[in-house]
Amino acid sequence: MSQDDLLQTRMANAIRALSMDAVQKANSGHPGMPMGMADVATVLFTKFLNFDPSWPTWPNRDRFVLSAGHGSMLIYSLLHLTGYERPTMDDLKNFRQLHSPTAGHPEFGECPGVETTTGPLGQGLATSVGMAIAERLSNTEYGDAVTDHYTYVLAGDGCLMEGVSQEAISLAGHLKLSKMIVLWDDNSISIDGATDLSTSEDHGARFEAAGWHVQAVDGHDMEAVEAAIQEAKNSDQPSMIACRTTIGYGAPNKQGTSATHGAPLGDDEIKATREFLGWDHAPFEIPADVRDAWLEAGSRGKSVSADWKNRFDALDSFVKQDFDRRTNKDMPKGFTAAINEYKAKLAAEPVKVATRKASQMALEVINGVVPETIGGSADLTGSNLTKTSQTAPITADDFSGRYMYYGIREFEMCAAMNGIALYGQHVPYGGTFMVFTDYARPAIRLAALMKQRAIYVMTHDSIGLGEDGPTHQPVEHVPSLRAMPNLNVFRPCDAVETAECWALALESKETPSVLSLTRQSTIQQRNEHTDENLCAKGGYILKEASSAPRVVLMASGSEVELAVAARETLEADGVPTRVVSMPCTELFDAQDAAYKASVLPEGTVRGSIEAASTYGWAKYTGLDGVNIGIDSFGASAPADQLYKHFGITADALVAAVREKL
């Protein structure tokens, strides 16, 4: 073995040593994958990956995603060794401990260099497709001088077993994302034992069928790995390299078994591993020559990023300002004025349309002034109404468009949207039926966890969709989404509120948004224009009582008009009644106590009506309040019949309130 080869091997062994030592100190973690893939990672980071630890957010860096996030010590070791500010050696010693950035699974925002939160298997791979799409979109818009890089993914057997992986590789193959390279840790081990306990799939054939370039190499042969990555870079298809590895490589008594997957090796096995690898250094000790070699690899990208900065600085000032505006997640100048002009037009010329149509009308305005929006739908474009005149299709041969046909891949759509949002140059929105948030929920949850601005256009949001029946009628979905931290669920009642909710979603830099929209038409309630975005407070007084209110009726979406009708009946009976539109409970909850008390005063009878589970409304109506909704599954019938059948009517609300007076 040459001196260079020997140094490369010792560099890989540094990863193995840090991984087993950190897991052992924490008495928790997964040492097997980092030890098995250390050789592959060393080749990638020293020979190919363009990155600059002194500028972790350099826009043209290669993206590296550890989809097999349980092997987090791999990326933590790499980030530390190559010279990132964090994690420090003390951070590695505090692996998996409270307030340490070295969480059990890589968390976006905790350590520079972690491109996305991974852990739920398959989602790193699925999110990376969005990053690769975003790279092509940016390249088409700004050219090779600004954007021209690769997205590398390290995936494990678990990632490829998860169903979302099929959605991801299918979409990537269809779009011919040739600058995406997946390194599969082909170690044939999962938690339960050998993978042949549960699968006999030919993953290489699966990728090939989806339009990928596929290779297989010995993952411990660094020269073979290097050659395979170079060949992958030369392909005009997305690439998958099956890297045959031994899980826990170096642990003489446990390597190749599930015993190394998710548990510390133990002091005796670690001692034996040090002897097997010839690593005669104390825990968390890296010899100077190995550390210097890793730091040199980390410094390699500094001149490359500097050259990029010079090219960027030479661009037209408008292009640079627009690039920076997008990176800062700011809306263009004129955005607010355009929204208010549109709202004024609606006030002058009221419309009665479904809020899904109102969303398309608002998007026609938005997409005209916000050039970075990227729309899409999971094969429901004509139902979600997410396409506008400005959004030509994105295809494998043309990334100049602004509309993604995601196909029937709800999970992958939302995961790809996460990747696009993380990339930072576009604002993704995508549509499907509200009931299919069940398919997309894991990706929505990661967007909320990562504080990413992704916008989900979820139409057909209640039993109001009618004849498709209970399989398609969401009942518990809106309340359950409201339970998710850092997610704004908007359920606007008319075209004006829909425009306001869209504006709020676009301006929410660190919070994803769900737009819950109707199939059926709704009466426009807001016919007097105001520049103030009333929906910004989450809930507001839509119709005031004739005098001090005795009753306060709350509603969202299509049921607001039922609350308004109930108010008219109660007022005619001499009962002063206020109607509160509640388009976003999360924003209402964020208001101060004084505002909330002014909207929902004590001593009143409070009632809610919503064509969804009543779960959650008692928070506003009180234990003795009135809550009209549907706490069962729906049925197949026209919408008006369903509302009457399930008692979601103005008359039912009035009758229930009268019992409390």
Side-chain angles (χ1 to χ4, degrees), residues 274-296:
R274 279 183 154 77
E275 293 175 359
F276 181 89
L277 296 175
W279 188 263
D280 56 353
H281 307 285
F284 300 103
E285 180 183 302
I286 306 298
D289 63 330
V290 173
R291 177 170 290 282
D292 290 346
W294 270 117
L295 290 175
E296 182 181 353

Side-chain angles (χ1 to χ4, degrees), residues 305-342:
S305 67
D307 289 344
W308 180 91
K309 183 67 163 56
N310 290 334
R311 295 196 302 273
F312 182 81
D313 288 342
L315 295 173
D316 178 83
S317 60
F318 174 81
V319 174
K320 288 188 294 183
Q321 289 169 7
D322 188 61
F323 189 96
D324 290 339
R325 176 190 65 76
R326 295 188 189 190
T327 302
N328 292 330
K329 299 185 179 182
D330 295 326
M331 287 291 98
K333 292 179 180 178
F335 171 73
T336 301
I339 292 294
N340 283 326
E341 181 181 345
Y342 173 60

Side-chain angles (χ1 to χ4, degrees), residues 352-613:
K352 181 181 179 181
V353 295
T355 53
R356 61 171 175 156
K357 178 61 179 177
S359 170
Q360 185 182 47
M361 293 163 61
L363 279 171
E364 192 67 41
V365 175
I366 290 164
N367 287 339
V369 296
V370 185
E372 65 266 31
T373 51
I374 300 295
S377 173
D379 200 52
L380 288 168
T381 296
S383 296
N384 301 146
L385 303 181
T386 40
K387 197 173 187 306
T388 65
S389 62
Q390 305 92 341
T391 55
I394 295 165
T395 70
D397 301 318
D398 185 359
F399 280 85
S400 64
R402 293 170 58 189
Y403 195 81
M404 281 288 303
Y405 287 101
Y406 285 104
I408 309 165
R409 306 182 183 100
E410 295 90 350
F411 193 172
E412 171 55 31
M413 175 180 73
C414 293
M417 287 166 58
N418 287 347
I420 294 169
L422 285 160
Y423 197 86
Q425 293 179 19
H426 297 90
V427 182
Y429 69 87
T432 185
F433 289 165
M434 172 60 77
V435 76
F436 298 133
T437 54
D438 281 344
Y439 288 175
R441 185 179 300 267
I444 297 173
R445 186 175 188 270
L446 279 194
L449 184 61
M450 294 189 291
K451 301 180 179 179
Q452 293 303 301
R453 180 179 53 184
I455 303 171
Y456 313 102
V457 182
M458 300 301 180
T459 70
H460 297 61
D461 71 346
S462 74
I463 59 170
L465 69 87
E467 294 85 345
D468 274 342
T471 60
H472 282 56
Q473 292 167 359
V475 173
E476 75 279 18
H477 298 72
V478 168
S480 68
L481 288 166
R482 286 173 178 154
M484 189 180 293
N486 194 41
L487 176 67
N488 286 335
V489 180
F490 294 102
R491 194 163 185 258
C493 75
D494 65 4
V496 177
E497 281 197 355
T498 302
E500 290 186 343
C501 291
W502 259 110
L504 292 168
L506 288 162
E507 291 166 348
S508 297
K509 294 184 178 183
E510 295 188 343
T511 303
S513 300
V514 170
L515 288 165
S516 176
L517 305 172
T518 68
R519 179 194 184 211
Q520 72 272 32
S521 296
T522 61
I523 299 169
Q524 185 169 314
Q525 303 293 332
R526 297 264 300 278
N527 297 323
E528 293 184 11
H529 175 66
T530 173
D531 280 355
E532 181 184 1
N533 189 325
L534 300 183
C535 290
K537 292 188 181 297
Y540 65 95
I541 301 170
L542 176 67
K543 301 288 184 181
E544 185 55 286
S546 54
S547 59
R550 290 182 60 196
V551 174
V552 177
L553 303 179
M554 290 164 271
S556 76
S558 47
E559 288 69 64
V560 168
E561 63 187 61
L562 299 181
V564 170
R567 172 189 176 274
E568 293 174 358
T569 299
L570 290 166
E571 284 279 355
D573 288 346
V575 181
T577 302
R578 169 186 292 176
V579 172
V580 172
S581 180
M582 192 76 82
C584 184
T585 59
E586 294 82 10
L587 293 182
F588 183 74
D589 291 345
Q591 304 307 309
D592 60 38
Y595 176 78
K596 287 185 280 191
S598 72
V599 174
L600 304 177
E602 294 291 337
T604 57
V605 173
R606 301 182 196 173
S608 71
I609 184 166
E610 188 175 55
S613 165

